């Protein structure tokens, strides 16, 4: 008797994780295949899309074998993938370049400056909800292609992103993207839910070279015979559009209607679904329309886990001699009181955060004293990421959008101490969902199941991920962090001008 299983591909910067779930959200098996990242020049970050397809083919076959499943058991396929990429293809879907720009490629700084000069930074934000460095968005990247590779631009039928390229490889279909991917382009109007004519004109992008935005549950088509053979699946297996990774993670964590996800990943973020955009005059949250009259609003610490890893690997490298270095790091940090005896770490290795953002910013330790030791350094690194995100929690609370309990995800969520620090700072309970390490893939699986009608709705996620692994806020430590947060803000405000001056010095 055939089972009803869902194949979810979670495509990150380093590789593809294929996971199998049943229609009740139970995790069954995984397979992981990597692909290389290329850095040919300063600001350039590239992938060869053919390596994505190779990884997806291999991981699909392997995960089915690992689950002892049959091809006919797979009833739907979908994706959680890195977005903001630019993949030019011709009408048949053939690549027009060997390697493509991915999300963190920032070569298009001149193009970004041109766009913002024409629109104004705040006006562009209010129209798009996009608050990251504009050089990361497809609007600037496509303009770079037009300026630097005009023959490629002319030959381009459509500019695709990661999952849209793979969907074409699977189904032969080109034409659609999800609202979230469109919303993270610098070209999509947050209010009209359409490509914006003014932004298209300023960015010199022709609308017919872009895909049509639809709901992430849109069924794109069935596997072609060729793709089915390569993946070890059955012809006509439905392929569902899916979403970019942050929103897939939030979906997998059960974020619906006012609930919140807190991610301690390579980048840190907190995000909430809301019936309207949460935008304030003084701050630039990142807001994306995701369909069904819903907006996903998030704030970010751009190098959260990455900065913490740097501290562990560079400043506390001796920990690597231990069998369990991260566990030992946590033990050392747990011996230090909340606030790290007034030692602060600003985790600004990459452009800071939502509230203090500049490419000039650098990571900083402030407040070092002779009696402090490695435990202080480690705990302050955890707390620095927490303070970055605590500013977001403060904003959401003022807007009436801060829940009593949040879903804590990302690699840092495995740390009991870090989860407790976040609970204390946010003054909210932090629940670690079940299947924490597969949360993005679970989001993709839910999208696939709902799209194909084999899962009733997204409310199932809240039940699937419910866990009793919860950190409860400690009132005394909450008070400590509330006293220290204004000082933390001042360090950003006072160091920012110095770092900008430093950036301009040529040695």
């Amino acid at each position: 008797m055939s089972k009803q299983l869902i194949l979810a591909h979670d495509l990150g910067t380093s590789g593809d994780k294929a996971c199998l779930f049943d229609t009740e959200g139970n995790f069954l098996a995984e397979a992981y295949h990597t692909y290389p990242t290329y850095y040919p020049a300063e600001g350039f970050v590239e992938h060869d899309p053919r390596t994505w397809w190779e990884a997806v083919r291999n991981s699909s076959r392997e995960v089915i074998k690992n689950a002892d499943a049959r091809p006919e058991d797979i009833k739907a396929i979908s994706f959680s993938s890195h977005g903001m990429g630019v993949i030019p293809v011709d009408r048949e879907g053939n690549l027009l370049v060997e390697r493509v720009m991915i999300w963190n490629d920032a070569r298009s700084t001149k193009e970004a400056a041109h766009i913002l000069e024409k629109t104004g930074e705040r006006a562009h934000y209010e129209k798009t909800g996009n608050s990251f460095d504009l050089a990361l968005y497809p609007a600037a990247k496509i303009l770079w292609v037009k300026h630097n590779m005009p023959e490629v631009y002319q030959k381009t039928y459509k500019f695709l992103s990661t999952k849209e390229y793979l969907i074409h490889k699977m189904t032969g279909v080109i034409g659609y993207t999800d609202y979230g991917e469109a919303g993270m382009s610098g070209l999509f109007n947050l209010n009209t839910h359409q490509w914006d004519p003014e932004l298209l004109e300023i960015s010199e992008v022709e609308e017919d070279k872009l895909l049509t935005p639809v709901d992430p549950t849109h069924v794109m088509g069935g596997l072609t015979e060729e793709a089915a053979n390569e993946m070890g699946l059955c012809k006509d297996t439905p392929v569902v559009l899916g979403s970019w990774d942050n929103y897939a993670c939030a979906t997998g964590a059960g974020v619906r209607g006012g609930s919140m996800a807190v991610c301690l990943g390579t980048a840190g973020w907190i995000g909430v679904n809301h019936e309207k955009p949460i935008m304030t005059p003084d701050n630039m949250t990142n807001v994306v329309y995701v369909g069904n009259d819903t907006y996903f609003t998030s704030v970010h610490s751009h190098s959260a886990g990455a900065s913490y890893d740097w501290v562990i690997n560079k400043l506390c490298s001796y920990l690597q001699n231990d069998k369990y270095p991260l566990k030992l790091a946590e033990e050392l940090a747990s011996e230090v009181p909340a606030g790290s005896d007034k030692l602060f770490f600003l985790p600004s290795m990459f452009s800071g955060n939502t509230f203090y953002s500049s490419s000039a910013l650098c990571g900083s330790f402030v407040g070092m004293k002779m009696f402090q030791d490695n435990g202080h350094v480690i705990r302050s690194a955890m707390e620095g990421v927490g303070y970055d995100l605590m500013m977001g929690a403060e904003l959401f609370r003022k807007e009436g959008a801060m829940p009593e309990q949040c879903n804590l995800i990302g690699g840092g969520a495995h740390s009991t101490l870090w989860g407790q620090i976040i609970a204390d700072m946010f003054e909210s309970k932090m629940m670690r969902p079940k299947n924490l390490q597969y949360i993005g893939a679970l989001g993709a699986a839910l999208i696939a199941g709902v799209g194909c009608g084999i899962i009733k709705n997204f409310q199932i996620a809240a039940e699937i991920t419910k866990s009793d692994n919860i950190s409860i806020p400690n009132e005394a430590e909450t008070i400590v962090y509330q006293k220290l947060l204004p000082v933390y803000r001042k360090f950003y405000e006072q160091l920012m001008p110095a770092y900008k001056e430093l950036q301009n010095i040529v040695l």
Side-chain angles (χ1 to χ4, degrees):
M1 182 178 176
S2 177
K3 304 174 185 176
Q4 285 194 318
L5 305 182
I6 300 171
L7 173 58
H9 286 281
D10 187 357
L11 289 113
T13 308
S14 302
D16 171 48
K17 181 192 293 183
C19 297
L20 278 184
F21 298 88
D22 63 22
T23 54
E24 295 181 350
N26 296 308
F27 169 79
L28 303 177
E30 71 170 314
Y32 184 72
H33 283 261
T34 62
Y35 31 75
T37 302
Y38 302 92
Y39 304 89
E42 184 178 356
F44 287 49
V45 189
E46 299 177 342
H47 279 174
D48 180 345
R50 292 167 294 193
T51 64
W52 300 336
W53 179 231
E54 182 181 0
V56 165
R57 287 190 331 236
N58 293 335
S59 62
S60 296
R61 287 182 171 275
E62 187 176 323
V63 75
I64 292 169
K65 181 180 179 181
N66 291 345
D68 195 24
R70 299 174 300 170
E72 57 267 31
D73 295 334
I74 311 303
K75 305 301 182 186
I77 305 168
S78 195
F79 307 88
S80 160
S81 74
H82 58 85
M84 299 167 69
V86 169
I87 307 164
V89 298
D90 64 18
R91 192 171 292 272
E92 285 70 46
N94 299 310
L95 291 168
L96 296 175
V97 290
E98 290 291 313
R99 299 201 300 245
V100 302
M101 290 180 269
I102 63 170
W103 68 274
N104 52 347
D105 188 297
R107 72 185 71 175
S108 58
T109 53
K110 290 182 180 178
E111 289 73 20
H114 166 77
I115 293 169
L116 290 180
E117 183 182 353
K118 294 287 186 179
T119 61
E121 185 176 8
R122 184 70 194 187
H124 187 276
Y125 165 66
E126 290 178 353
K127 184 173 279 196
T128 65
N130 297 156
S131 63
F132 301 160
D133 182 347
L134 188 61
L136 301 177
Y137 289 99
K141 290 173 177 172
I142 293 174
L143 185 55
W144 185 93
V145 172
K146 191 169 189 177
H147 286 170
N148 294 274
M149 308 171 75
E151 72 288 351
V152 170
Y153 183 86
Q154 291 302 322
K155 291 178 182 178
T156 298
Y157 169 58
K158 296 289 183 183
F159 287 100
L160 310 182
S161 195
T162 310
K163 65 183 185 300
E164 287 77 10
Y165 173 79
L166 292 167
I167 287 169
H168 170 259
K169 296 293 290 185
M170 292 181 182
T171 66
V173 174
I174 299 176
Y176 299 97
T177 189
D178 66 290
Y179 284 118
E181 191 76 55
M184 293 291 285
S185 68
L187 296 167
F188 188 75
N189 191 301
L190 182 70
N191 304 299
T192 65
H193 309 157
Q194 295 176 348
W195 298 117
D196 187 86
E198 181 186 9
L199 293 176
L200 291 171
E201 182 178 358
I202 291 170
S203 303
E204 301 176 32
V205 178
E206 298 162 62
E207 185 174 349
D208 63 4
K209 291 184 183 293
L210 303 176
L211 301 170
T212 301
V214 293
D215 194 89
T217 59
H218 182 78
V219 179
M220 296 292 289
L223 289 179
T224 63
E225 186 171 356
E226 180 181 359
N229 289 336
E230 291 188 56
M231 297 174 70
L233 296 170
C234 294
K235 182 177 179 293
D236 296 326
T237 303
V239 178
V240 177
L241 184 51
S243 183
W244 97 101
D245 49 11
N246 279 17
Y247 189 64
C249 286
T251 300
V255 174
R256 312 299 297 175
S259 56
M260 177 179 287
V262 180
C263 181
L264 297 177
T266 301
W269 53 268
I270 62 179
V272 60
N273 273 350
H274 214 262
E275 61 189 14
K276 63 178 182 179
I278 300 176
M279 308 170 83
T280 67
D282 301 323
N283 299 295
M284 295 207 300
T285 56
N286 197 65
V287 187
V288 184
Y289 178 71
V290 292
N292 294 318
D293 296 322
T294 302
Y295 298 84
F296 182 67
T297 302
S298 57
V299 301
H300 297 254
S301 177
H302 299 314
S303 54
S307 293
Y308 178 74
D309 288 345
W310 184 89
V311 169
I312 297 299
N313 295 329
K314 303 295 185 182
L315 300 187
C316 303
S317 57
Y318 75 94
L319 294 172
Q320 304 304 322
N321 297 325
D322 192 83
K323 187 176 181 181
Y324 302 105
L326 293 179
K327 181 179 179 182
L328 177 57
E330 183 167 341
E331 289 174 356
L332 292 171
S334 65
E335 296 173 0
V336 175
S340 300
D341 288 317
K342 300 181 183 179
L343 175 63
F344 293 89
F345 175 63
L346 278 62
S348 306
M349 302 300 205
F350 177 63
S351 298
N353 57 57
T354 294
F355 303 93
Y356 301 97
S357 181
S358 170
S359 60
L361 277 168
C362 303
S364 309
F365 280 98
V366 186
M368 282 187 167
K369 295 183 179 178
M370 290 294 290
F371 73 90
Q372 293 163 339
D373 56 22
N374 283 338
H376 289 81
V377 169
I378 295 165
R379 184 179 183 113
S380 68
M382 291 178 168
E383 290 178 339
V385 173
Y387 285 126
D388 266 14
L389 299 178
M390 185 180 176
M391 290 187 284
E394 185 179 68
L395 183 152
F396 282 131
R397 181 165 278 110
K398 288 178 180 176
E399 296 297 313
M402 189 68 207
E404 293 183 2
Q405 179 170 300
C406 306
N407 298 316
L408 188 65
I409 61 176
H414 293 284
S415 167
T416 301
L417 174 60
W418 211 346
Q420 185 61 51
I421 289 170
I422 299 298
D424 295 338
M425 287 182 163
F426 282 40
E427 203 173 359
S428 293
K429 299 176 183 176
M430 293 290 150
M431 181 189 75
R432 295 164 186 81
K434 294 177 182 176
N435 289 333
L436 181 60
Q437 62 269 47
Y438 310 115
I439 211 74
L442 176 58
L446 291 167
I447 290 169
V450 172
C452 289
I454 55 177
I455 293 178
K456 185 177 180 181
N457 56 48
F458 288 106
Q459 303 307 323
I460 187 176
E463 293 302 318
I464 290 169
T465 58
K466 188 177 291 184
S467 167
D468 57 5
N469 188 345
I470 298 174
S471 295
I472 309 295
N474 180 305
E475 184 178 358
E477 299 197 346
T478 295
I479 292 171
V480 169
Y481 291 127
Q482 288 175 343
K483 287 180 179 179
L484 293 175
L485 181 61
V487 181
Y488 182 80
R489 285 182 179 274
K490 286 183 180 178
F491 285 133
Y492 266 115
E493 291 164 1
Q494 295 180 19
L495 286 172
M496 182 98 76
Y499 279 129
K500 287 181 177 179
E501 183 177 344
L502 183 64
Q503 186 181 48
N504 293 327
I505 293 176
V506 178
L507 300 177

